[in-house]
Amino acid sequence: MTKASYRPSLASHRTSLASRLPSFATIALAATALTATLAGTALADDRAALYGAHKGGVLRLVTNAAEGTADPQINYTLKNWQVFQYVYDTLVVFKKANGPDSFTIVPDLAEAVPTPQDGGKTYVFKLRKGIKFSNGKEVTVDDVVASFRRIFKVSSPTSGSFYNGIVGADACLKSADTCTLEGGVVGDAAAGTVTFHLVAPDSEFMYKIAVPHASILPADAPTKDAGTTPMPSTGAYMIASYDPNTEMKLVRNPNFKEWSADAQPDGFADEIHYDFGLTEEAAITAVQNGQADWLFDPPPADRLNELGTKYASQVHVSPLTAFWYAPMNVNLPPFNDLRVRQALNYAVDRDALVGLFGGAQLATPTCQILPPNFPGHVDSCIYTKDPGTQWSAPDLDKAKALVKESGTAGQKISIITEDTAISKAVGTYLQSVLNDLGYDASVKPISSNIQFTYIQNTNNKVQISVSQWYQDYPAASDFLNVLFGCDSFHPGSDSSINIAGYCDKDFDAKMKAAMTQAVTDQDGANKQWAKLDAELMEKGAPAVPLFTPKRVDFVSSRVGNFMFSLEFQWVFGLAWVK
């Protein structure tokens, strides 16, 4: 599709959506609030009765494609992290609950959340007794120690950004094969404790060990990517089989006994089947017909009116701390020129992109990294017609002037997107903008099963891509430091979440200072993060922030007890099916 024919159709598409989306969003939000309230009340009132009435059946999930390895210490996608919540456990975990409560840290494999010692540099965890892996072996101190070593041995994407503060981590990052974390993670089998020693206090340490990369696996787990081979697990469910081309199948863990309803509650469904390969259009129809219960991918914009009018009670709209963005490789032309990166930021019509996603009720334009209602966020936008706190309109004149000044016009640019309707549409729009700026741009959609790792690996020479980021935990560093910190850039690796390859030593030092300040002065640190957010966009501009989304979940009429976690989105392990 040429850019000339693309933009008029986009404009009319936006107008038609705007006229019909308010009623959809209003109905959906009301349904979400009602369902969430009922779910929380019901579970609190009588869990035993609920399980007696609703336990059993098969919950059927569908998506366009699988998303890579089933190894919880390597996979770094929301799709798999949602699954891992019910399969693997960590020492502490985010509470499985609705809304703000889902950001609460609760004990999981540990008996309690420990009080920091030694000025915040030491944590002692007492393991619960009697918890078994799905293979029947009891979880031990040795498993915990080995699991943290394994994070480095398998080069987990966050080994250098989440766990580099553990004593001994520096040696592990230099030589993964010989990693011991000596003096950093110490097990005492007799006492049943594991002690962590940090190089310095870390206000985010509990968050970092509550995510799936810190999953506790058997001590003899392979020290390489497990790929499609499921590993023994401790959760309510276990992965029985995984074929990225067809299905992931979860069944009840025969050795699971609920030890904490907050951390790892027993599930309702006997099995959870996750089918791969359906387009979004086909998935919507399958849910409508009761052949599937939910789709992971955002519904196509042209189906939203239908969902909001005919299926309002089955639609749930929830706010997200996330953003869609286009990381630009600062080490490859033409984006190795700051002026080109700034030019694209000026040229993008973010309202057009909001329209592609479903309209103003489902997304908001943004030109900064930190999302609204998130620690450190202060409204800021310099890449717009009227710089200030909000995005207003693109400034094509300024964009074209910067491109002319850079002398890069005419260069070829390939945009890598996921093979999903919305990602491809965003990529096609960016192609039209880049062509308008004088480049020879093309779009290359690839399966979401491999796209996320593909765009991270510098060997693939990706110039620009379309991606999304959903917070791992509620801290500004989880956006700025993880996505643009030097410790997150690993050339030649599929686990290099700093997709832009941006590494500014001075900026990095400022981020580390803000993280240190957060230990004793969280409010002051958040003010520093706000400044760093603005500084990154002004002086580095390694990405084009596009919009912050809301989540639209469409479930079948069989599904009950819909709960939405701000941390991991739909709590499908606690949903039941008729």
Side-chain angles (χ1 to χ4, degrees):
M1 183 181 294
T2 65
K3 64 179 182 293
S5 64
Y6 180 73
R7 281 185 174 154
S9 63
L10 175 61
S12 60
H13 176 67
R14 255 195 345 262
T15 301
S16 64
L17 280 171
S19 65
R20 68 195 191 207
L21 269 172
S23 60
F24 161 77
T26 300
I27 293 170
L29 283 168
T32 302
L34 176 60
T35 309
T37 300
L38 291 176
T41 302
L43 281 175
D45 284 348
D46 193 348
R47 285 169 50 82
L50 283 173
Y51 279 106
H54 298 289
K55 203 168 185 178
V58 177
L59 184 66
R60 298 164 299 189
L61 317 178
V62 293
T63 186
N64 180 271
E67 289 197 351
T69 177
D71 193 320
Q73 293 192 327
I74 295 178
N75 193 289
Y76 204 3
T77 66
L78 171 63
K79 188 178 293 182
N80 284 52
W81 276 27
Q82 278 186 297
V83 171
F84 295 157
Q85 295 311 296
Y86 316 106
V87 176
Y88 299 101
D89 288 281
T90 44
L91 290 170
V92 296
V93 74
F94 289 92
K95 184 178 180 180
K96 290 179 174 63
N98 283 303
D101 279 352
S102 58
F103 279 150
T104 302
I105 294 291
V106 296
D108 189 1
L109 294 180
E111 290 183 351
V113 177
T115 300
Q117 302 175 20
D118 188 26
K121 294 193 294 184
T122 299
Y123 294 83
V124 181
F125 294 87
K126 174 80 171 177
L127 279 190
R128 297 182 193 266
K129 295 180 180 179
I131 297 178
K132 294 183 178 180
F133 289 107
S134 52
N135 62 5
K137 294 183 179 180
E138 188 166 342
V139 178
T140 68
V141 165
D142 289 342
D143 297 316
V144 177
V145 175
S147 293
F148 276 86
R149 290 175 183 163
R150 186 178 186 273
I151 291 172
F152 297 91
K153 289 180 180 291
V154 299
S155 298
S156 178
T158 51
S159 56
S161 54
F162 282 12
Y163 310 108
N164 59 337
I166 299 173
V167 170
D170 53 350
C172 291
L173 289 168
K174 292 176 182 177
S175 179
D177 291 343
T178 59
C179 176
T180 63
L181 289 178
E182 184 177 358
V185 183
V186 182
D188 185 333
T193 61
V194 180
T195 300
F196 288 77
H197 296 287
L198 307 183
V199 175
D202 182 355
S203 64
E204 301 168 13
F205 181 65
M206 284 298 162
Y207 291 150
K208 294 171 180 176
I209 63 170
V211 299
H213 285 169
S215 293
I216 304 306
L217 305 170
D220 59 358
T223 53
K224 62 180 181 179
D225 188 345
T228 60
T229 303
M231 288 185 287
S233 53
T234 50
Y237 295 94
M238 55 183 277
I239 300 175
S241 61
Y242 176 43
D243 182 340
N245 295 312
T246 56
E247 179 191 56
M248 177 184 284
K249 183 178 179 181
L250 307 184
V251 299
R252 290 192 182 278
N253 175 355
N255 290 297
F256 176 79
K257 292 182 180 179
E258 185 181 288
W259 59 83
S260 168
D262 288 339
Q264 186 63 270
D266 196 4
F268 283 98
D270 285 337
E271 296 185 4
I272 301 173
H273 295 183
Y274 214 145
D275 291 329
F276 312 128
L278 272 71
T279 65
E280 294 95 321
E281 291 285 352
I284 287 288
T285 302
V287 175
Q288 290 174 339
N289 294 337
Q291 298 166 311
D293 295 309
W294 173 79
L295 73 155
F296 172 85
D297 310 289
D302 61 359
R303 301 294 293 273
L304 292 176
N305 186 50
E306 177 187 7
L307 298 184
T309 53
K310 295 182 180 180
Y311 301 91
S313 64
Q314 295 167 227
V315 176
H316 307 268
V317 179
S318 309
L320 296 172
T321 46
F323 78 142
W324 280 60
Y325 72 118
M328 296 172 283
N329 193 327
V330 302
N331 301 305
L332 289 178
F335 299 113
N336 57 349
D337 190 315
L338 173 61
R339 293 166 295 189
V340 178
R341 304 197 298 271
Q342 291 174 328
L344 188 54
N345 267 287
Y346 276 118
V348 167
D349 184 343
R350 290 168 171 84
D351 272 346
L353 292 164
V354 165
L356 283 177
F357 194 73
Q361 300 293 340
L362 299 180
T364 304
T366 188
C367 41
Q368 62 188 109
I369 306 301
L370 296 177
N373 302 313
F374 199 72
H377 173 89
V378 173
D379 289 338
S380 173
C381 184
I382 60 175
Y383 295 110
T384 186
K385 269 283 189 185
D386 303 302
T389 58
Q390 303 293 330
W391 185 84
S392 57
D395 192 335
L396 286 174
D397 290 339
K398 187 170 288 187
K400 289 180 178 179
L402 284 166
V403 171
K404 183 178 180 179
E405 185 182 326
S406 73
T408 59
Q411 293 188 20
K412 292 182 179 292
I413 297 175
S414 178
I415 306 163
I416 307 299
T417 74
E418 293 175 286
D419 190 19
T420 62
I422 292 178
S423 185
K424 287 188 292 186
V426 171
T428 303
Y429 171 75
L430 292 176
Q431 176 191 19
S432 71
V433 173
L434 287 165
N435 285 342
D436 272 357
L437 293 177
Y439 297 102
D440 181 6
S442 61
V443 178
K444 181 181 178 181
I446 59 179
S447 171
S448 57
N449 188 34
I450 61 172
Q451 192 258 7
F452 191 57
T453 52
Y454 183 89
I455 63 179
Q456 292 181 64
N457 197 317
T458 56
N459 293 337
N460 296 321
K461 301 187 183 304
V462 175
Q463 295 164 289
I464 182 172
S465 56
V466 176
S467 195
Q468 313 93 45
W469 185 252
Y470 300 84
Q471 54 87 32
D472 298 313
Y473 52 80
S477 66
D478 189 53
F479 278 79
L480 291 166
N481 183 55
V482 170
L483 295 182
F484 305 106
C486 297
D487 292 332
S488 297
F489 181 46
H490 309 289
S493 169
D494 284 350
S495 299
S496 183
I497 196 60
N498 183 343
I499 299 167
Y502 183 79
C503 178
D504 182 299
K505 297 295 186 182
D506 290 337
F507 186 75
D508 221 56
K510 292 178 183 178
M511 289 196 292
K512 286 180 169 56
M515 287 186 280
T516 299
Q517 183 177 357
V519 174
T520 56
D521 180 13
Q522 186 65 64
D523 290 340
N526 286 340
K527 291 177 182 177
Q528 293 305 311
W529 285 116
K531 294 177 182 178
L532 291 171
D533 191 7
E535 179 181 331
L536 178 70
M537 290 310 303
E538 180 181 0
K539 297 181 179 179
V544 183
L546 304 173
F547 56 87
T548 58
K550 290 181 181 177
R551 173 73 196 181
V552 179
D553 287 298
F554 177 47
V555 298
S556 76
S557 58
R558 302 188 330 131
V559 172
N561 202 48
F562 184 94
M563 299 173 65
F564 191 87
S565 161
L566 295 180
E567 179 63 26
F568 295 115
Q569 302 194 18
W570 184 29
V571 188
F572 59 71
L574 284 178
W576 58 64
V577 289
K578 297 177 182 176

